[in-house]
Amino acid sequence: MRTPQQARSRRTREQILKAAVACFERRGYEETTTAEIARRARLAVGTFYGYFKDKRAILLELLGGTINEIANYVVQSLQPDAWRDADARAGVRTLIDALFHTRTINPGLQRILWERYFKDPQFRGAVQAIEHRIRAAMLDLFIVLQADGRLRVTDLSAAAFVVYSAIEWTASRLVLGGAGTEIEPAVEATSDMVSRFLFRE
């Protein structure tokens, strides 16, 4: 008898999350109320509070899923085995494409995340969690490439920070912020810059 109830509960929770995304993207996080989310989900406000404490709890849950999806996607492109026999510039291009692609994963939520970054330590922690995981994978890759004699740089931790920051900032500006330039030429220029920084000619 419990399984149908659990399935119904999961569906209701999913309804609330979808309604929240729609409201956040349409009106912005600050302007959205729990009553609006409940109304869009076609639920009573009391039912909403049976699932979530407030809209912040919803946003944190949504961001948790988005963060894991982003990190998993990028870390895949940093697996050392894929770089061992590959052209270095092709590897850099694959990494940059992966980081650019992550900006298309729930872009509305990512905008809200950046809005909340300086206002809420928990949201700042969410952004830093992505960065730490990707930079750790990048550092592991650089250690392997250095052992193979392919890297020009010697301070691998600093290199991971610089590469991540350069690509992340460029991707965010282009995809989320409307930087006023074409994506493809920017990706090519970034690939060239990172390759020259990292690798021996």
Side-chain angles (χ1 to χ4, degrees), residues 65-158:
T66 299
I67 285 161
N68 285 329
E69 190 176 350
I70 288 171
N72 290 342
Y73 190 87
V74 176
V75 166
Q76 281 181 347
S77 70
L78 291 165
Q79 296 303 313
D81 288 344
W83 288 66
R84 278 194 189 277
D85 300 317
D87 174 67
R89 286 177 179 267
V92 168
R93 177 58 192 253
T94 299
L95 169 62
I96 290 172
D97 283 343
L99 276 162
F100 270 66
H101 172 76
T102 63
R103 291 293 151 261
T104 67
I105 298 171
N106 296 329
L109 284 178
Q110 290 193 54
R111 284 189 190 92
I112 293 168
L113 174 59
W114 282 107
E115 283 172 20
R116 308 301 304 165
Y117 182 86
F118 294 105
K119 299 178 181 177
D120 188 322
Q122 210 165 350
F123 288 88
R124 189 158 53 252
V127 172
Q128 289 168 346
I130 300 174
E131 180 177 345
H132 290 157
R133 189 165 164 213
I134 293 172
R135 280 174 54 193
M138 209 175 272
L139 183 57
D140 290 343
L141 170 65
F142 290 172
I143 289 168
V144 171
L145 294 176
Q146 185 182 58
D148 290 346
R150 297 176 68 186
L151 289 189
R152 185 182 68 79
V153 295
T154 54
D155 187 336
L156 303 186
S157 183

